Amino acid sequence: MKIGVLALQGAFAEHEKALTALDAEVKEIRQLRDFDDSFDGIIIPGGESTVMGKLLRELGLFEPVSEYIKKGGYCFGTCAGLILLAQEVSNDDRKNFCTLPVRVKRNAYGRQLGSFSCKEDFAGKEITQVFIRAPYIEKVLDDECEVLSQHEGFITAVRYKNQLAAAFHPELTEDRTVHQYFLDMISGK
Ligand code: GLN
């Protein structure tokens, strides 16, 4: 299975490590010529959504990635990646892919709680979740959007058709549950 990892900024190397550990083939997407419709799935990592949104446009990658997702290509976004996918961001007017029917709030846990980790269920299995200046999902905007994880009453991971998104950083722990979930989504398990 060949996964493209958007490698413009942020925590992409850790995603690559997680995918490699699960025997997936990884290809970094750094510029337009790296983007290729033969990917079985792509990952949009955490980082800074404003910077990533700007770089995607400057490099001519925004449209191809957007088309890929809209055509049903599998996509997994973490943290800033979730923000880029979200249909609505309650505290930011910038629009990005808007393919995931959720409303998110950026930097939702405030400054003092900027970074923390906790143990929560993800699709029925307890995992450690690391949050770094994370968003949370205030509202799911489509009944078909499945809630996979919650923390303190707020939604932190969802699946909608070909898209998976998490407010936390599964790539920063050694637990591969979430990456395996994404690979299983692609293989239709
Ligand atoms: N706070 C960042 C943003 O708004 C997201 C943080 C992260 O990806 N760890 O884009």
Side-chain angles (χ1 to χ4, degrees):
M1 203 174 286
K2 185 164 121 189
I3 309 293
V5 178
L6 199 62
L8 306 181
Q9 193 252 343
F12 55 86
E14 293 82 356
H15 277 292
E16 292 168 14
K17 202 175 141 217
L19 292 167
T20 306
L22 295 171
D23 291 330
E25 186 191 335
V26 175
K27 183 139 185 260
E28 287 190 350
I29 306 167
R30 291 181 175 270
Q31 50 193 322
L32 187 55
R33 70 160 182 256
D34 301 327
F35 196 79
D36 162 356
D37 268 351
S38 73
F39 292 133
D40 295 299
I42 59 169
I43 289 187
I44 306 178
E48 196 56 40
S49 54
T50 50
V51 177
M52 240 188 287
K54 192 166 169 278
L55 288 172
L56 278 162
R57 287 177 175 88
E58 283 173 8
L59 293 163
L61 273 163
F62 187 85
E63 283 307 323
V65 173
S66 179
E67 277 306 301
Y68 176 86
I69 303 168
K70 285 178 185 154
K71 279 192 198 152
Y74 286 93
C75 178
F76 175 24
T78 52
C79 203
L82 159 64
I83 297 167
L84 290 173
L85 293 173
Q87 202 172 306
E88 292 180 18
V89 183
S90 60
N91 54 350
D92 195 333
D93 289 338
R94 275 167 282 225
K95 291 272 176 219
N96 288 291
F97 297 121
C98 300
T99 47
L100 185 68
V102 295
R103 187 175 77 216
V104 298
K105 183 176 178 188
R106 288 183 66 199
N107 301 319
Y109 296 94
R111 281 198 170 203
Q112 278 164 339
L113 269 180
S115 300
F116 61 96
S117 74
C118 59
K119 284 191 192 303
E120 293 287 358
D121 254 32
F122 171 86
K125 185 181 172 217
E126 191 183 80
I127 58 166
T128 299
Q129 301 182 348
V130 178
F131 291 79
I132 304 171
R133 292 176 296 106
Y136 57 57
I137 295 169
E138 291 181 324
K139 198 171 190 298
V140 158
L141 305 171
D142 188 303
D143 288 347
E144 279 191 63
C145 193
E146 186 187 351
V147 174
L148 298 173
S149 197
Q150 299 191 57
H151 175 65
E152 291 181 345
F154 291 103
I155 300 165
T156 55
V158 291
R159 177 190 177 167
Y160 176 70
K161 299 179 178 172
N162 54 316
Q163 299 173 74
L164 175 68
F168 53 89
H169 288 265
E171 76 285 8
L172 298 184
T173 69
E174 296 299 313
D175 189 318
R176 305 300 178 216
T177 303
V178 185
H179 288 85
Q180 186 63 60
Y181 185 95
F182 182 54
L183 298 182
D184 287 348
M185 252 170 80
I186 297 171
S187 54
K189 280 190 194 158

